[in-house]
Amino acid sequence: MAYTADNDSVRNGMRRVEVIEVDDSGPIMKVTVMGLADEFFELSLRGQPHGLTTVPVKGAIGYGFSPNGRPDQFFLMGLESEENRKQFNNRAPGESTMYAKKGQEIFMKDNGDVDIKSPNGVVHINPP
């Protein structure tokens, strides 16, 4: 079976996409995204590492990949919300932050310290 994407697989190999809807109520997370050319992808596979699960917010931006240009094999990577991330954009090389929508944060600093922050306070961990 031939797909129209087969005619231009390089253009269809990767797209920048925006999250339109997320449904995490079933056995798999259903993510609907829209590409910049107004194409929609539903039931996209979303790769996440072992031990970490997140649910992207509506409007999050990331990348969609079509292996061999095949939209029926579409998967998502790198979804993040610019609105939520911009409050953490002053990090030094090697530092890492895990954050959530309401301002919660786990900040792993370059000096080895870790700050766990919530709207109600901060826990500072300073290793010996």
Side-chain angles (χ1 to χ4, degrees):
M1 176 176 184
Y3 290 87
T4 56
D6 292 339
N7 296 331
D8 191 359
S9 62
V10 174
R11 181 251 181 248
N12 288 313
M14 182 173 78
R15 293 173 175 85
R16 190 164 164 89
V17 295
E18 179 179 344
V19 173
I20 303 301
E21 182 179 32
V22 179
D23 178 3
D24 194 29
S25 62
I28 64 167
M29 183 186 299
K30 299 175 185 176
V31 183
T32 302
V33 296
M34 180 177 68
L36 294 180
D38 292 335
E39 65 262 276
F40 284 86
F41 299 91
E42 297 179 69
L43 294 176
S44 303
L45 175 64
R46 183 159 172 264
Q48 296 190 85
H50 174 73
L52 174 66
T53 184
T54 63
V55 179
V57 297
K58 182 178 178 179
I61 302 293
Y63 298 96
F65 297 89
S66 299
N68 300 312
R70 301 283 300 262
D72 61 323
Q73 299 172 4
F74 202 69
F75 68 94
L76 302 168
M77 292 179 62
L79 295 173
E80 72 174 350
S81 165
E82 180 182 353
E83 184 65 30
N84 295 137
R85 191 194 74 78
K86 70 181 178 184
Q87 59 189 316
F88 308 113
N89 64 357
N90 60 345
R91 301 300 185 234
E95 294 183 332
S96 181
T97 297
M98 184 177 4
Y99 63 89
K101 184 172 148 180
K102 300 289 184 182
Q104 308 95 315
E105 172 189 3
I106 299 174
F107 176 26
M108 292 153 276
K109 299 179 178 183
D110 191 36
N111 66 2
D113 291 359
V114 177
D115 287 347
I116 303 172
K117 300 178 182 180
S118 78
N120 298 322
V122 176
V123 174
H124 181 74
I125 302 168
N126 184 351

